Amino acid sequence: MVLDAKIPGGPLAEKWTQHRFDLKLVNPANKRKYNIIIVGTGLAGASAAASLAELGYNVDAFSYHESPRRAHSIAAQGGINAAKNYPNDGDSIFRLFYDTIKGGDYRSREANVYRLAEVSNAIIDQCVAQGVPFAREYGGLLDNRSFGGAQVSRTFYARGQTGQQLLLGAYSAFARQMKAGKVRFHPRHEMLDLVLVDGHAKGIITRNLINGEIRSYAADAVILASGGYGNVFFLSTNAMASNATAIWRAYKKGAYFANPCFTQIHPTCIPLSSEHQSKLTLMSESLRNDGRVWVPKKKGDSRAPNDIPEEERDYYLERIYPSFGNLVPRDVASRRAKEMCDTGHGVGPTGLAVYLDFEDVIGRKGKQWVSDKYGNLFDMYQQITGENPYEVPMRIYPAVHYTMGGLWVDYNLMSTVPGLFVLGEANFSDHGANRLGASALMQGLADGYFIIPYTIGDYLAKHPHGKTDTNQESFKTTTREVEEKLNQLLAVDGSQTVDDIHKELGRILWEYVGMARNREGLEKALKLIPQLRETFWKEVKVPGTAKELNPELEKAGRVADFLELGELMARDALHREESCGGHFREEYQTEENEALRDDEKFAYVAAWEFQGTGEPAKLHKEVLIFENVELTTRSYK
Amino acid sequence: MNWFFRFMNSSVGKKIIMATTGLLLCSFLIIHLFGNLFLYGGPELFNTYVERLASIKPLIRVIEVILALIFLFHIINSLWLTLSNRKANPVKYEVNRAQDNSSFFSRYMGITGSIVFIFLAVHLSTFWYRFQIDHDGGQFYRIVTGDAVGFNNPYITGLYILAMILLGFHLRHGFQSAFQTFGLRYNKYGKLIEAIAVLFWFAIPLGFVLIPIYFGLLKGGF
Amino acid sequence: MQVFLKVWRQADAKSEGQFVTYTVENVTEDMSFFEMLDMLNNQLVLKGKEPIAFDHDCREGICGTCGLFINGRAHGPLRGITTCQLHMRSFDDGANIVVEPWRAEAFPVIKDLIVDRTAFDRIISAGGYISVNTGGVPDANTIPVPKPKADEAFDAATCIGCGACVATCKNSSAMLFVAAKVSHLALLPQGQVERKQRALNLVAAMDMEGFGACTNTGACEIECPKEISIVHIARLNREFLKASLL
Ligand SMILES: Cc1cc2nc3c(=O)[nH]c(=O)nc-3n(C[C@H](O)[C@H](O)[C@H](O)COP(=O)(O)OP(=O)(O)OC[C@H]3O[C@@H](n4cnc5c(N)ncnc54)[C@H](O)[C@@H]3O)c2cc1C
Ligand code: HEM
Ligand code: SF4
Ligand code: FES
C-alpha cells in the first residue's frame, strides 16, 4: 500500500479551510443513524465523544477506567499552548507552527502542525466557556507563562493542574451527552481487539473488567484515543495502567505504526530509589529556572552533598552550554545527566541521579521566595523522598514521559485501516521526533473538538450506515481469538509474575532503546526482547480466572503487547541512522556531542506494517516535504 | 406546592428545617432563661411574673402550640434524618478514628438531643403540669424551689443539670452548624458567629444550671 | 521493617467478605504504601494465592482512583494526600495496619478494596456542567473573571472525585463533592445561566444515589486530599435555598 497522507493542496494557511469545504457532510437528520465507537475517554476521547454526540451521532465510549475523569490526561501539570498572542509579544499561528516543527526536529508534517496551531485558539475559547478555571491576571483576563522551546509566552495554565482542569472540562461536556442519551459510556471495559468487516473497522471486542464478560460492539466507524505507550519501559511518568493494547491490536489488524522509537525522556523526575519502585514522578521543568544541576567532580564520591566543597562540584550544564546553562531543552538535559552517571559521577544510593541545587537561589532571594514559587513541588519531593530540599539538594534523573510515535494517520486522522481513526497521544501526528512542553494537551483537544467532527463526517458520508451487526462472522472469529488469548495467558502457570517480566523488559529498553542508542545495543535488544517474550509465554504466572475482576490478567495482556511493541521500537531505532529529537544515536552526533540529523536520508515518517509476531515488520516511508520552513540545526551553546 | 415537597424531601431541605427549628428553639431558650432569672428576685417577684403571663393566656397558648410544633418538627425531622443517614452508611468500619477529623459534639447530636428530649418530657410533666394545673393558688416559686418536683429534689436537680450540660453539647455543634446549613458561614462572619455561639452553648446553659445550684444547693437545699 | 496487615477481602459484590491478616517483611521506608502492597501481591501470586485487588492508577495524587481506609482514616493518617502518596515511613516497624474499602451504600464493593464510584459520574451528568456545544463560543478574553473568584473557583475545581469525603462521613454524604462542583461553576460568570437548576439537580441526583445528608461534622474537609473547604458546602446550601425558595 502506498501511504497517502491526503494533505490538501493550496497554500499552507488555507489548506484546512479549503479542506473543510471539500469534505463531505452527513445530513443532520441522518447523523443519528450512525454509530461511532470511541475507545479512550481522556482529553482526546472525551472531547471527541462530546463533540460528535452534540452533532447527533450515537457514541459508544469505552474506558478501562471507572470514569473519564481518571484518564492519564488528568496528570498533566504545566499548561496548554495557544497562539492567542494575548501578551502582545509577537506570537502568531505561524510562530506556533514554526516552533512546533522545529521543536520536533523536522520530523513532522507541515500541514498537520499548521492546522494544530490554527485551531489552538478555539480550544482556549472552548475551555473557558466550559468553565475551566485558567489562571488570570488581576484585571480578570487570562494569564500566560512561558515554556521550553519558545521565546513567547503562550502557555495557558491552571496552577500545576492544567491537565486536570482541561479533562474535567471535556468530561463535563461528555457527562452532559451521557445525560442526553447520546453517549453511552462503558466504564471498566477494556478493548481487546478491533473487528474488521470487508477491510473496514466496524467494531471492537471488549472485556468487562468487573466480571470478565467478553462482548462485541458494532459501529460505523471506530476511534482510538487510548493514550501513549511510555509504560513499555515499566518505569515512566505515565499512570500504572497506561498501555498500548488498543493501538497494538489495531496494528496487528493492519494499521501502520509510525515512528515507534520516538520517545521523550523528561530530565527532571524523582530518581529511582529502590527496585520496588512502581513509577516515576515528574517534577515540573520550571525548577530548572532556579536550580543548578551538578555532580561531584570525583567519580564515586560518596560524601553528603553539603560536604562537597564548591571547587569539587561540576556544574556540567553551565560548563558545556554557557549561554543556555541549566535551561537547555529536555532531550539535551536528559542525555547529559545520563552521561554523567554512566561515567561514574552519579549520586545517591543507586548512582543514578544528579543534584538539582537551590542553595544559591535560597541564599540570594531567601527561603520564602523559593517556597512561594515552588512550595508545592518541594513538599511533593519531601513526601516521596523523605528529604528536605531546602537543606539538601534535590536528586533528579530523567524518566520516560511521552511517546511521539503512534498509529500512522493521514490528514483526516484516519489510519491505514479505513474507518479507524486515531486521536491524541495514540497517533503519531504532530510532534515529530520531540514534543514541546504544553503541546500534547493542545493536540489531544484539537483532535477531539475541532478535527475529528469534520473529518469523520467525510468517511461516514461515503459509507452507508448500519450495515454491521455483531452476528457477522468476523465478530465471532475475533471474539474467539480474544478468548483464546486470555486462556493462553492463564494456562501458562509458570513461576514469574507479570511485573517481574515487565520490569525486565523495561530494563532492556531503558538500557538499549532509551536515551542514547547505538547499533550494537539495538541489535542486542532485538535478540533479548524476543527471548524475554518466549520466557513470558513459558514462565508467566497469572492467578485466578478470566471470569472475574483480575488485575493480574489485565496486566498480563498489556505486557504481552509491550513485549512485541518493544521489539518494533528497537527495530525502528536501529533503522533510523541519524539522531533527531528524542532519538539519539551515539554514532550520529556532532563533535560537540549534539544530535546529527540526516535530512537527505531520513526526512520521512517510518510507518511499520505488521507481518506476523516475531517477523520483522515491513517499513513504509511517508516522505516529509518542507515548503514553508527551512531545516536548520539546533544549537544551545 | 410541588417545589415545597421537593424541598422538604431533599437532604439539604431537611437540613434547613433542622436548622430553622433549631434556631427557633434557641431563641426560645433566651426567653425561657429570661423568665427564670426572676427567681433571683424572690418569691413575690417571680409569682407576679408568672401571673402576668397567665393574664395573657390565649397568646401564651398560641405560642405554646407553635413551640410544640417546632419541637415536633425538630424531633421528627431529626429522626428521619438520622434513619436515612444510617441507611446511607450501613456497614461500619472495623477501625474508625473519627476523633481525628471531627468533634465529639458533632458526632453525637442525636444522643445529646435525645437526652434533652427525655428531660423535656420530665420537665413538662412536672413543672409545666404543676404551673398550669396544680399550683396551690400561685405558689410558683415554691414549686420551683420545693422538694416535690423542685430543686430541693436531688433527682430533679441532677437531671436538670445533666440535661443542660448536654444541651450545651448539642448547641456546641448545633448553633454554628445551623449557620453553615443556611450557607451563612462565610469566612468573614465566622468569628462573629463563633462568638454568639459561645453565648448559646456556654452562657445560656450555664445560666440554666446556676439556678438549681443556687436554689438547690446553696440555699440549703436537699 | 515488618508490618502486620489486616485487609478486607471480598470475592465480588455478592459475596460475603472477611478480614485476612498478612505479615509483610522487608518493607523499606522509602516504599509507598502501594509498593508495599505490590510486593505482597507479588509474593501472593508466586504462592498461587489471589493478590489483593485495590484501585490505583496515577500514583501521584491526581487521578482520584485510589482510596483506602487505613487505620481508621480515609487515605491514611496524613492530611492533604491520597493513599498513593502515603509512604511506609509514616508507619513504625511492627505496625498493625487495618485496611478497609470505602464504606457507603452508594459505593458498593466490587472486589476486595475496590468500590464502585460511578454514582459520582451520574451526579455530574445531572448538571455538573455548563451547557455549551463545541464551537461558536466567544473569545476567551471577552469573559473577564476577577482573580479572587477565579482562584476560589479553582480551589473547588481541584476535587479529584476520590470519594474520601463520603468514606469518612458518618452519614456517607457526598456534600463536599457536590458542593465543590456547584461552587466551582456558581463562582464563574459562565456558570450563571444554569446556576439555580444546577444546584437543584445535583442535590436531587445525590439524594437519588443514596448518599446521606450532611450534618456538618466537617470530617470531609479534614480527610479531603485536596483540602477542599466546607465553606463550599455552605455555598451549596445557600445556592440550594435560593434556588428552591426564590
Ligand atoms: C506527568 C505528565 C505530565 C504531563 N504534562 C503535560 C503538560 O503540561 N502539557 C501537555 O501538553 N502535555 C503534558 N503531558 C502529556 C499529556 O498529558 C498526554 O499526552 C495527553 O493527556 C494524552 O491524552 P489522551 O487523551 O491521548 O490519552 P489519555 O489521557 O492517556 O487517555 C487514554 C484513555 O484511553 C483509555 N484506554 C486506553 N486503552 C484502552 C483500551 N484498550 N480499552 C479501553 N480504554 C482504553 C483509558 O482508559 C483512557 O480513558 C504530560 C504527561 C504526563 C505523563
Ligand atoms: C431546646 C432544645 C433544642 C435546641 C435548642 C436544639 C437546637 C438545635 C440546633 C440549633 C441544631 C442545628 C441545626 C443544624 O445543624 O443545621 C439542632 C440539630 C439537631 N437536633 Fe436539636 N435542639 C433541641 C432539642 C433537640 C431534641 C429534643 C432532639 C432529639 C430528639 C434534637 C436532635 C437534633 C438532631 C438530631 C439535630 C441534627 C444534628 C445535625 O444536624 O448535626 N434536638 N438542634
Ligand atoms: S471533595 Fe475531596 S474527598 Fe471528596 S471526592 Fe473531591 S477530592 Fe475527594
Ligand atoms: S492513584 Fe491517582 S490519586 Fe492515587
Side-chain angles (χ1 to χ4, degrees), chain A residues 351-512:
Chain A
L352 287 177
V354 300
Y355 290 125
L356 179 61
D357 200 334
F358 294 87
E359 195 184 342
D360 246 35
V361 66
I362 292 174
R364 243 178 319 123
K365 304 208 167 158
K367 192 173 159 183
Q368 190 56 44
W369 186 88
V370 174
S371 125
D372 285 348
K373 200 159 172 197
Y374 303 114
N376 60 337
L377 292 170
F378 276 46
D379 290 348
M380 182 161 100
Y381 181 84
Q382 184 158 15
Q383 180 55 240
I384 292 174
T385 62
E387 285 177 359
N388 179 354
Y390 292 102
E391 280 154 19
V392 199
M394 281 185 185
R395 280 175 290 120
I396 55 162
Y397 198 65
V400 175
H401 177 59
Y402 183 87
T403 49
M404 280 75 70
L407 291 187
W408 183 91
V409 289
D410 63 16
Y411 189 71
N412 294 322
L413 303 182
M414 190 161 88
S415 70
T416 49
V417 173
L420 179 69
F421 295 79
V422 192
L423 320 180
E425 196 175 337
N427 73 24
F428 89 107
S429 66
D430 298 344
H431 307 295
N434 175 51
R435 174 179 69 82
L436 288 185
S439 285
L441 301 178
M442 169 171 74
Q443 181 228 331
L445 290 179
D447 289 0
Y449 284 134
F450 297 113
I451 297 169
I452 194 72
Y454 294 95
T455 58
I456 203 171
D458 185 64
Y459 170 81
L460 294 174
K462 291 173 183 159
H463 297 88
H465 52 77
K467 285 277 179 280
T468 353
D469 73 78
T470 53
N471 289 320
Q472 279 163 325
E473 197 45 42
S474 54
F475 281 90
K476 290 187 184 149
T477 40
T478 317
T479 304
R480 265 198 305 280
E481 283 163 20
V482 164
E483 282 169 346
E484 258 162 43
K485 177 148 188 194
L486 291 171
N487 291 334
Q488 270 171 13
L489 287 167
L490 288 161
V492 180
D493 197 27
S495 60
Q496 290 186 37
T497 63
V498 177
D499 278 356
D500 290 341
I501 296 172
H502 193 180
K503 280 182 188 175
E504 182 55 32
L505 173 67
R507 271 191 287 269
I508 296 172
L509 286 173
W510 183 244
E511 183 66 28
Y512 304 115

Side-chain angles (χ1 to χ4, degrees), chain C residues 127-208:
Chain C
Y129 41 73
I130 292 168
S131 300
V132 287
N133 284 351
T134 303
V137 299
D139 180 90
N141 258 353
T142 51
I143 318 171
V145 185
K147 187 170 163 55
K149 287 238 172 185
D151 285 347
E152 206 181 348
F154 186 91
D155 289 339
T158 55
C159 166
I160 57 174
C162 65
C165 45
V166 174
T168 198
C169 175
K170 76 187 197 33
N171 312 311
S172 296
S173 168
M175 279 293 269
L176 193 60
F177 171 79
V178 173
K181 186 44 69 191
V182 168
S183 195
H184 159 208
L185 297 177
L187 281 161
L188 295 175
Q190 303 93 300
Q192 298 311 308
V193 180
E194 297 161 289
R195 186 168 171 176
K196 283 189 174 182
Q197 212 47 46
R198 183 178 306 117
L200 295 175
N201 290 348
L202 263 65
V203 168
M206 167 180 81
D207 291 348
M208 207 155 77

